[in-house]
């Protein structure tokens, strides 16, 4: 059987088993599912199609006898020229002195090695005298550790396939195999390890991509279903007419996207199940208005609401804007780490006795002394900044409150499906009327005077500007502009009529608040800052955002920063000062100047950075797939999600015999158990 130790494979002894354990191969099944990380295809392509620094195979005729030179102890270099397609290509072979006797003028040779397109040179790793074989061979290459070699691993794989391939059981029902024209598990494993041709390998990879996505999506959908069913009796009977009056009191009309997402959230609140929903909306798309309406709905249902945000500045801002929106319709308090002693005790007592309707705060909301009388709705803003444990504690504060997570980081659909597969997702993909697109420019530091003069021009028109840089103080390691230096420079550069402020993470909460209040009141016209202004800060009069060393930020962060301006009907500008050295950095700047659409940017960012970097490796919670790639295989991910939803909703896992193997696999899965505990 496949769960037997790998030592039951003929030829795998104790020492070899130790080497296999380094790559987590302990059973025969582990061996079968240890797939190659790449395949070398020794196929001859025209010179014009060869990619610089790729491993390639060429065939040619030797123009002259090879020249051999020695350097150092036992080190040699063999060089000669071959003619192929009427072009002379230089051939270099290291430490192959013996080859001089085998290679002669006018011999036809097949050479494999690293291609240098600039020098028309190949550095050879394999060669043979004679023409290439008709059928290009595909060589699986495995990730290795310790004494493990490709040859040893392939030999063990070959023996395991010979003796145990028929023990492999199919887990995907036949209907899906036929519908998607994918091979069964047994033949797919054979093709992954011993591919006869590219076509068979392609179909085997397609099969395992779908299998991995389907299993993961089944886990997500099953967890979602079980979580929903375990939280019945959570209906919030809010007052629709009071809610309509509240919406009509706004000085603006909701966009279609806001109305659509609001209806989805209110339907969840009305349902007997606990809401677990993610609300995505680009910077300035109006998530706060939607959150306010939902909080009001929970008040009319005689429950309490909580809004948790990552920073004190943001908490204070939300508190002010909600207080203005609600007026005397609700009692709202602000609870952050700065609120201490008697004042904190009074607030927590008022929350406990339901004298408070809405609590706005930072993670101080989840401290042990905060006890809600009847928490109906918990909203977590910029949720990817909070740890899973913090979110769980907040959920557990009330009697199964509805939970709404909000983010202004536009998350690509592929990541939303994967990272938040156990949640419902709503998207506000429309901007409020009257908003002008922000003009974005990319320039280098040698144009700084022009940029500063442009800021002065906008300030003289009564507007304001942010200047953002990555570090607070000078660093020996990084030659990048820092906030303190820049602040001093600008104070010298601008006349006394232009007031410059400084904002960074090392200031106390009171100092930060003072700076922000002065900027909001236009007592400061230019604010030099680190990225603390990134999330949620709202100063409609600010129309210029200058970002120093912009190549040091990811696209999503640049977009968040850009979103601090363009918050009124005035034309706004974002100026990126950057001198990126690599192609990715240049591409990032180019994309920023071409689009204001956060979702488009997030898709591009995902392609440039990869999924692990999007949320940060530790916080991402993203699964590691062996074959599947979320970015490249997004269509398969979407297909697997739809299939998984249908399987779970129709209860096929339990009721249909065809799904028995899939059900067993999920039942014994450690991830499922940890999620459901």
């Amino acid at each position: 059987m496949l769960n037997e130790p790998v030592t039951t494979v003929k030829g795998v002894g104790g020492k070899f088993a130790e080497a296999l354990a380094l790559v987590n191969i302990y059973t025969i099944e582990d061996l079968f599912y240890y797939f190659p990380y790449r395949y070398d295809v020794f196929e001859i392509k025209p010179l014009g199609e060869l990619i610089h620094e790729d491993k390639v195979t060429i065939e040619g005729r030797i123009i002259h006898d090879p020249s051999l030179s020695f350097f150092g102890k036992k080190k040699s270099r063999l060089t000669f020229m071959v003619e192929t397609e009427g072009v002379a290509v230089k051939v270099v072979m290291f430490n192959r002195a013996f080859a001089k006797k085998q290679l002669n003028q006018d011999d036809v040779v097949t050479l494999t090695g690293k291609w240098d397109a600039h020098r028309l040179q190949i550095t050879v790793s394999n060669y043979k005298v004679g023409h290439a074989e008709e059928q290009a061979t595909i060589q699986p290459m495995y990730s290795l550790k310790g004494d493990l070699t490709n040859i040893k691993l392939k030999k063990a794989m070959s023996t395991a396939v010979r003796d145990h391939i028929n023990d492999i059981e199919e887990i995907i029902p036949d209907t899906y195999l036929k519908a998607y024209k994918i091979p069964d598990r047994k033949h797919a494993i054979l093709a992954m390890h011993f591919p006869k041709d590219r076509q068979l390998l392609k179909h085997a990879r397609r099969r395992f991509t779908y299998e991995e996505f389907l299993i993961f999506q089944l886990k997500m959908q099953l967890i979602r279903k079980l979580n929903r069913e375990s939280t019945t009796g959570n209906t919030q009977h809010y007052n629709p007419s009071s809610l309509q009056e509240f919406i009509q009191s706004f000085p603006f009309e909701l966009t279609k996207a806001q109305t659509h997402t609001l209806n989805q959230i209110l339907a969840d609140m009305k349902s007997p199940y606990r809401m677990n929903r993610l609300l995505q909306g680009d910077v300035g798309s109006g998530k706060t208005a939607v959150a306010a309406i939902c909080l009001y709905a929970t008040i009319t249902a005689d429950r309490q609401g909580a809004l948790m945000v990552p920073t004190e500045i943001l908490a204070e801002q939300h508190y002010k804007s909600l207080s203005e929106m609600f007026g005397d319709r609700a009692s709202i308090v602000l609870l952050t780490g700065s609120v201490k002693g008697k004042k904190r005790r009074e607030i927590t007592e008022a929350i406990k006795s339901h004298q408070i309707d809405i609590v706005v705060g930072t993670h101080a909301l989840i401290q042990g002394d905060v006890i809600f009388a009847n928490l109906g709705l918990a909203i977590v803003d910029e949720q990817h900044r909070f740890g899973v444990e913090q979110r769980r504690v907040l959920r557990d504060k009330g009697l199964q409150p509805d939970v709404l997570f909000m983010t202004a980081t536009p998350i690509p659909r592929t990541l939303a499906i994967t990272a938040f597969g156990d949640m419902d997702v709503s998207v506000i993909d429309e901007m409020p009327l009257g908003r002008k697109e922000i003009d974005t420019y990319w320039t280098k530091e040698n144009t700084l005077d022009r940029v500063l003069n442009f800021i002065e021009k906008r300030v003289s028109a009564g507007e304001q500007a942010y200047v953002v840089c990555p570090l607070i103080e000078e660093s020996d390691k990084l030659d990048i502009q820092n906030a303190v230096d820049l602040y001093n420079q600008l104070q010298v550069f601008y006349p006394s009529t232009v007031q410059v402020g400084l904002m960074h993470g090392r200031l106390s909460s009171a100092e930060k608040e003072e700076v922000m209040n002065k900027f909001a009141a236009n007592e400061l016209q230019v604010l030099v800052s680190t990225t603390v202004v990134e999330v949620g800060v709202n100063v409609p009069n600010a129309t210029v955002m200058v970002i120093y060393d912009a190549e040091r930020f990811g696209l999503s962060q640049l977009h968040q920063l850009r979103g601090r301006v363009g918050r009124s009907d005035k034309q706004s500008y974002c100026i990126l000062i950057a001198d990126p050295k690599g192609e990715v950095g240049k591409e990032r700047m180019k994309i920023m100047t071409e689009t204001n659409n956060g979702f488009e940017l997030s898709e591009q960012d995902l392609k440039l950075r990869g999924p692990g970097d999007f949320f940060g490796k530790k916080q991402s919670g993203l699964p590691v797939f062996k074959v599947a790639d979320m970015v490249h295989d997004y269509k398969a991910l979407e297909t697997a999600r739809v299939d998984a939803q249908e399987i779970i909703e129709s209860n096929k896992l339990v009721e249909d015999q065809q799904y028995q193997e899939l059900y067993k696999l999920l039942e014994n899965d450690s991830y499922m158990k940890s999620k459901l505990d």
Side-chain angles (χ1 to χ4, degrees), residues 559-668:
H559 182 60
Q560 290 274 330
L561 289 166
R562 175 167 63 184
R564 298 302 106 227
V565 295
R567 302 178 82 87
S568 68
D569 55 0
K570 295 175 184 172
Q571 181 59 56
S572 288
Y573 309 88
C574 176
I575 300 162
L576 308 168
I577 299 177
D579 188 10
K581 300 294 180 268
E583 287 307 310
V584 170
K586 287 172 187 167
E587 186 64 22
R588 203 175 275 157
M589 296 305 114
K590 194 164 157 278
I591 293 164
M592 279 295 293
T593 61
E594 288 170 356
T595 181
N596 269 279
N597 184 313
F599 288 95
E600 234 173 82
L601 279 168
S602 71
E603 293 288 350
Q604 296 291 341
D605 207 12
L606 185 60
K607 285 173 189 166
L608 291 173
R609 294 162 71 192
D613 291 333
F614 197 88
F615 295 114
K617 291 245 184 321
K618 286 180 185 168
Q619 272 284 84
S620 74
L622 294 174
V624 177
F625 298 113
K626 288 182 179 180
V627 179
D629 178 313
M630 282 186 300
V631 183
H632 184 262
D633 305 315
Y634 68 93
K635 284 182 181 169
L637 174 60
E638 187 66 60
T639 303
R641 186 184 68 89
V642 172
D643 289 346
Q645 213 165 348
E646 197 267 329
I647 290 167
I648 298 297
E649 282 173 10
S650 57
N651 216 19
K652 285 179 179 173
L653 267 185
V654 181
E655 294 172 3
D656 195 326
Q657 191 63 26
Q658 284 189 84
Y659 295 81
Q660 197 182 0
E661 292 304 320
L662 264 179
Y663 183 61
K664 270 193 229 166
L665 193 139
L666 293 174
E667 213 177 17
N668 299 321

Side-chain angles (χ1 to χ4, degrees), residues 291-292 294-295 306-309 377-381 394 402 404-406:
C294 298
L295 287 166
L307 173 59
M308 184 160 86
V309 296
L377 174 65
I379 300 178
V380 183
D381 197 16
L394 180 63
D402 284 323
L404 179 67
F405 300 113
M406 300 200 304

